[in-house]
Amino acid sequence: MPSSASVLYMAALPEADRFALDLASREDLLDVCRRAVAAAEQRQRPVLASWAMPVPHTDALELWRRSRHAASRSLLWRSAWDRGFLVTAGTAHDLSANGEDRIAAVRAAWEELAHDPVTGGGPSSGLPTGEGPLLVGGVSFAPATGAARPPLPDALMWVPAVQIRGSAPSLTGWAAPLGELRLNAVVDRHSDPVQISKGLLHMAEQCLLPQPGEQDRSASPVRLRESVELPSAREWKELVARAVRSMRQGSFEKVVLAREVRYLAETPFDVPAALDRLGEAYPEATLFAVRDGGHEFIGATPEYLVRLTGRTVQTLGLAGTTPRGATPEEDASYERDLKGSTKILHEHDVVVRMLREALDGACADLTVASGPTVLKLANVQHLSTEVEGTLHEAGPGILEFADMLHPTPALGGHPRAESLDWLARNEGLERGWYAGGVGWSDTSGQGEFGVAIRSALIRGNSASVYAGCGIVADSDPEEEYQETRAKLRPMLDALGLD
């Protein structure tokens, strides 16, 4: 007889495409859990156990819809760089931290946990960057300073209990013909292998199988109750003017100012529908959604902080913004202004210089594009410069690079210490994860981190939407305010807000 786990996908697929997780596979998972418990006894420390199998017809958005109900914590990731997607549900192990050294603390704990995991099963071939069990999550822009506990920790990364990966055939697609299901657990010598394997299989079923009422997704138009700008438009423009005065006095070269708009609707926001709209409207962006309890942090970022594939490290200087035109002629005019603006070129160069200097010592070879290109999104266009290097043999891993680069001048300012100190004393906004980083690392240190911009923090019928822009010595407060309004547009459209 087939095991209880053999129902995976069978009810959801046509007869010809059905498959079963047979008794031998179930016993293989149990064997991995048993071997991990034995290893924990021998090593006298917790051990990471990970088991994998191929799964057909994976649709990342559908899987993520289910994962949001299967566990209180989940993640969705769709990379614009290699079309890879990742869906997770549940938590095998938490690696959270607070304070200035939050990324370094997570990295040290992950390196210890990821050493010599106990693995089994049949991993899939043809997956995008990364392999094996992953560490996923995000970090804040800066450590929280207020007395109140923030919605998300300064750094929240975890090993997911259920991890599903694949590669979509197109930038706008969510489905892949083949993916990988991976079940992870962190065990100690007292763990029960039978209960662990049963729990993992149950959660996998919840993610992979259609659930009752799943097709009933009719959404009502959003009815807005109220909204508030933090700070107000007048106060934010005054803040820009104050920053300009400080730069003209030589305090620093650039600072990035953010603002928040809070919305309260009559009914809860439809987060999966918002991600679907973002994916359709911004195929060149990397989509992410992190759910922790009642809070969901979502976004569509055009900017990656760092990406590490083998020995190739990549980062992106994205700074300098102008609107899209209503006609091809107007659009081309805006592009000429963008590429010809002394102010914008200076702002962009500050970012590229920092990236080049940060990567130089870690790389045997470093390539910086000879000049910026223009990245055209649906609502704005940016100056963009890629920086790529080849690591020395014993180079840093993805988390070390994230710690090294975050925050770049595109999110904080330059010089880093002076601009961040000014922000801490003047901005008056608890950014949380906005302008922080979201991404993942595998056990070998490969991974991706996106810059968490074009983002929103959602809790039920409440949404905080964020935007920011780089300020230099000749910035105009009204122009900068209008730029933030343009940057808010993607998330407002996705959430159904006018």
Side-chain angles (χ1 to χ4, degrees):
M1 291 181 63
S3 71
S4 61
S6 67
V7 299
L8 291 174
Y9 263 130
M10 292 182 68
L13 298 174
E15 185 72 31
D17 293 327
R18 291 181 180 179
F19 76 98
L21 179 56
D22 58 21
L23 187 61
S25 297
R26 185 184 67 167
E27 289 298 326
D28 191 26
L29 170 61
L30 181 56
D31 177 65
V32 168
C33 294
R34 284 174 173 153
R35 288 191 287 116
V37 171
E41 171 76 36
Q42 181 183 23
R43 302 173 195 174
Q44 293 296 297
R45 65 170 178 84
V47 169
L48 174 58
S50 185
W51 177 91
M53 68 172 288
V55 289
H57 301 285
T58 50
D59 184 302
L61 193 62
E62 290 297 324
L63 294 171
W64 178 66
R65 286 179 186 270
R66 297 171 195 151
S67 74
R68 295 172 68 244
H69 299 288
S72 62
R73 185 177 293 162
S74 62
L75 175 138
L76 170 68
W77 175 269
R78 192 183 79 180
S79 172
W81 312 312
D82 61 9
R83 300 198 302 276
F85 68 75
L86 167 65
V87 177
T88 80
T91 305
H93 192 71
D94 260 348
L95 295 176
S96 59
N98 292 296
E100 291 289 349
D101 296 328
R102 58 200 182 282
I103 302 178
V106 167
R107 175 173 59 85
W110 175 233
E111 287 176 353
E112 180 178 0
L113 182 64
H115 178 67
D116 199 17
V118 175
T119 60
S124 300
S125 60
L127 292 175
T129 300
E131 59 185 25
L134 304 182
L135 182 72
V136 305
V139 299
S140 63
F141 171 75
T145 57
R149 182 175 178 270
L152 297 170
D154 293 347
L156 175 61
M157 301 202 73
W158 68 96
V159 181
V162 176
Q163 167 187 319
I164 307 167
R165 302 185 68 212
S167 186
S170 70
L171 285 176
T172 56
W174 291 100
L178 184 68
E180 177 192 83
L181 167 68
R182 182 172 289 276
L183 306 180
N184 303 310
V186 174
V187 306
D188 60 29
R189 62 191 181 93
H190 300 295
S191 299
D192 183 339
V194 174
Q195 292 303 315
I196 290 171
S197 60
K198 284 183 177 179
L200 289 173
L201 290 172
H202 176 68
M203 188 174 292
E205 288 181 4
Q206 290 181 292
C207 295
L208 292 170
L209 287 174
Q211 302 300 308
E214 185 172 297
Q215 300 306 315
D216 183 17
R217 295 190 185 129
S218 55
S220 303
V222 174
R223 296 175 60 185
L224 188 62
R225 187 182 301 173
E226 64 180 25
S227 65
V228 59
E229 295 185 49
L230 299 171
S232 69
R234 177 184 59 80
E235 291 171 329
W236 194 81
K237 293 173 191 176
E238 290 174 353
L239 184 62
V240 173
R242 192 154 75 245
V244 166
R245 288 195 295 272
S246 294
M247 280 179 279
R248 289 176 178 175
Q249 293 166 4
S251 299
F252 44 87
E253 195 173 352
K254 174 186 175 178
V255 71
V256 179
L257 291 176
R259 50 187 291 261
E260 172 189 353
V261 185
R262 291 183 186 171
Y263 295 89
L264 189 65
E266 296 288 344
T267 55
F269 288 99
D270 188 337
V271 179
L275 263 293
D276 200 15
R277 294 186 195 112
L278 285 172
E280 287 289 331
Y282 300 92
E284 60 286 289
T286 290
L287 272 64
F288 59 85
V290 175
R291 180 172 183 262
D292 183 50
H295 292 93
E296 296 189 85
F297 184 66
I298 71 171
T301 178
E303 183 174 0
Y304 56 91
L305 177 65
V306 62
R307 183 168 188 257
L308 185 57
T309 308
R311 291 177 57 208
T312 300
V313 60
Q314 298 166 289
T315 186
L316 183 70
L318 195 74
T321 307
T322 195
R324 296 298 306 269
T327 65
E329 293 76 19
E330 185 180 40
D331 199 59
S333 177
Y334 278 132
E335 180 180 341
R336 286 193 297 272
D337 291 343
L338 181 68
K339 293 191 292 187
S341 167
T342 302
K343 175 255 182 187
I344 290 176
L345 288 171
H346 170 64
E347 177 189 345
H348 185 80
D349 182 61
V350 167
V351 175
V352 176
R353 274 190 284 133
M354 176 270 180
L355 296 176
R356 182 176 60 242
E357 292 166 3
L359 295 186
D360 187 48
C363 296
D365 299 298
L366 191 63
T367 302
V368 181
S370 57
T373 60
V374 176
L375 174 63
K376 291 181 180 286
L377 305 176
N379 61 321
V380 293
Q381 41 193 328
H382 299 289
L383 288 184
S384 172
T385 298
E386 295 183 358
V387 181
E388 180 176 310
T390 302
L391 299 185
H392 296 294
E393 288 293 341
I398 187 74
L399 289 168
E400 192 169 349
F401 274 116
D403 198 13
M404 185 189 307
L405 295 173
H406 175 71
T408 73
L411 282 305
H414 185 77
R416 178 187 289 189
E418 290 81 355
S419 58
L420 294 182
D421 177 68
W422 191 91
L423 282 174
R425 289 183 290 105
N426 291 274
E427 189 174 50
L429 177 67
E430 196 71 73
R431 295 190 186 187
W433 281 22
Y434 168 72
V438 174
W440 57 270
S441 170
D442 71 4
T443 56
S444 69
Q446 297 185 101
E448 298 177 333
F449 270 80
V451 178
I453 56 175
R454 311 296 194 272
S455 56
L457 180 66
I458 301 164
R459 183 180 177 87
N461 64 336
S462 173
S464 288
V465 184
Y466 304 89
C469 54
I471 311 299
V472 291
D474 54 353
S475 290
D476 176 82
E478 180 60 35
E479 291 179 0
E480 303 297 345
Y481 178 76
Q482 294 304 324
E483 180 178 318
T484 64
R485 293 190 62 180
K487 289 176 176 177
L488 288 170
R489 193 72 260 163
M491 193 56 62
L492 299 184
D493 290 341
L495 292 172
L497 295 166
D498 295 328

